[in-house]
Amino acid sequence: MSERFIDFLLRLAPRERGLLGLLFGVIIPAALVLGWLWPLSEERRAAQANLSEAQALDTWVMQRQGEKAGLALPVQTGEAPPAIGVSALEQSLISAKLRASLSGLETRDDGEIALRFDEVNFVELMRWIDGQDPAWGYRIEAFRIERTERSAVVEARLTLVPEAQN
């Protein structure tokens, strides 16, 4: 087989042999590298980047889970604080600048309070609830949030029941 190949090359002109050498020595290997190996290398690099990102996210989530476990409220063995009442609740809304957003405040039997916000800033509402929740003497019986057309503004309904009613 190699004799036939050598005879074939000898029958070609020196210029044709040079072009064949260039084809097999430079162009085909370059095409192989550029057309097959380089894209594989890029895909591998992208996959490694995605893996690193996923591992970092996994680590972050695990750390947040650890923080969440540390933030869990301790079980209170004492009595719950007395309910602060409607006027104190309304006063806390005024101090948090949420009174203007309050659409409805309704007191029901056994000290239950229903609050309705048709349009309220989500972050401000959550800050108010977070600041009031441990000491206000109520537990949240029902809480419903729906998004609105405006960004960061929600519609919220909140039902509070005095802790003493457990």
Side-chain angles (χ1 to χ4, degrees):
M1 169 122 175
S2 61
E3 287 179 16
R4 284 193 309 182
F5 184 65
I6 292 173
D7 285 339
F8 170 73
L9 289 176
L10 288 175
R11 278 186 260 135
L12 296 176
R15 181 174 156 207
E16 291 172 335
R17 283 193 297 258
L19 289 175
L20 275 177
L22 181 67
L23 176 68
F24 286 106
V26 177
I27 295 175
I28 290 179
L32 180 67
V33 167
L34 293 176
W36 185 50
L37 296 178
W38 196 346
L40 285 177
S41 173
E42 292 297 321
E43 286 180 26
R44 180 177 179 166
R45 217 174 280 126
Q48 286 175 335
N50 288 340
L51 177 63
S52 297
E53 185 178 332
Q55 288 172 336
L57 179 62
D58 185 49
T59 302
W60 183 84
V61 168
M62 292 300 201
Q63 290 171 349
R64 298 299 80 79
Q65 284 179 339
E67 287 178 12
K68 181 183 173 206
L71 292 176
L73 294 175
V75 178
Q76 296 178 356
T77 56
E79 289 186 26
I84 61 174
V86 176
S87 61
L89 196 62
E90 191 170 12
Q91 201 61 359
S92 70
L93 284 167
I94 291 170
S95 64
K97 297 182 173 79
L98 289 175
R99 179 62 180 97
S101 300
L102 184 67
S103 304
L105 175 66
E106 179 182 334
T107 57
R108 299 179 183 157
D109 296 337
D110 300 327
E112 186 176 303
I113 300 173
L115 302 165
R116 187 181 82 238
F117 298 90
D118 288 336
E119 287 189 349
V120 64
N121 183 291
F122 176 77
V123 174
E124 291 175 7
L125 177 65
M126 291 299 113
R127 282 191 184 135
W128 174 74
I129 290 173
D130 187 46
Q132 300 300 312
D133 188 30
W136 62 4
Y138 290 97
R139 73 180 153 80
I140 299 173
E141 182 73 19
F143 188 40
R144 186 173 130 205
I145 296 178
E146 293 181 12
R147 69 181 214 168
T148 61
E149 296 294 320
R150 292 179 36 211
S151 176
V153 175
V154 296
E155 177 184 332
R157 303 211 186 300
L158 191 67
T159 304
L160 308 174
V161 177
E163 279 287 335
Q165 280 187 354
N166 290 340

